[in-house]
Amino acid sequence: MSGLGVEADAFLRAFFSGMFLCGVYEVLRLFRRIIRHHSIVVSAEDFLYWLFCGFYLFGEIFQTSSGEIRWYFIAGTVAGAVAFFAVLSKTGKFCGKIFEKKTGKHGKRVD
């Protein structure tokens, strides 16, 4: 049973790694909405993001399973990303409804 516990721990680390990486990308997307970027800069940011993801996931895989890629690590990372976007989309819709009630459909303040 100790092997199963180690695999479950690796799955949870992968799950939270997927959530973390999606959170980082979401912050990058929000930054791009606040400050418009040229397409070359966006491409460079994406390249650096994916480079970071590669090194980060390599480090996580190396720590959890001595560098061996396991199916549950990949599944955990994907599940974490899906969970992050599921929660984020519901939260975004909820906040959008609150914003719409406060400001009206056209963004003007309604008292």
Side-chain angles (χ1 to χ4, degrees), residues 19 81 91 107:
M19 290 185 81
T91 305

Side-chain angles (χ1 to χ4, degrees), residues 5-67:
V6 170
E7 290 175 0
D9 181 52
F11 181 82
L12 284 175
R13 283 187 72 160
F15 183 83
F16 290 120
S17 293
M19 290 185 81
F20 169 72
L21 291 175
C22 283
V24 170
Y25 195 74
E26 191 62 29
V27 168
L28 184 60
R29 285 182 56 210
L30 290 172
F31 178 67
R32 289 178 184 164
R33 285 185 178 175
I34 294 171
I35 301 172
R36 294 286 177 198
H37 292 74
H38 191 270
S39 61
I40 294 173
V41 176
V42 170
S43 296
E45 288 172 347
D46 280 342
F47 177 76
L48 291 174
Y49 169 77
W50 286 110
L51 193 64
F52 168 74
C53 286
F55 282 113
Y56 178 77
L57 286 176
F58 176 77
E60 289 295 312
I61 290 170
F62 192 77
Q63 286 181 348
T64 58
S65 61
S66 301

Side-chain angles (χ1 to χ4, degrees), residues 79-109:
V82 169
F84 180 85
F85 281 116
V87 169
L88 186 70
S89 69
K90 293 206 184 296
T91 305
K93 287 178 185 176
F94 178 73
C95 291
K97 286 181 183 178
I98 291 174
F99 179 76
E100 206 172 275
K101 284 182 182 178
K102 291 265 187 205
T103 61
K105 290 194 180 216
H106 303 290
K108 297 180 181 174
R109 181 109 179 123

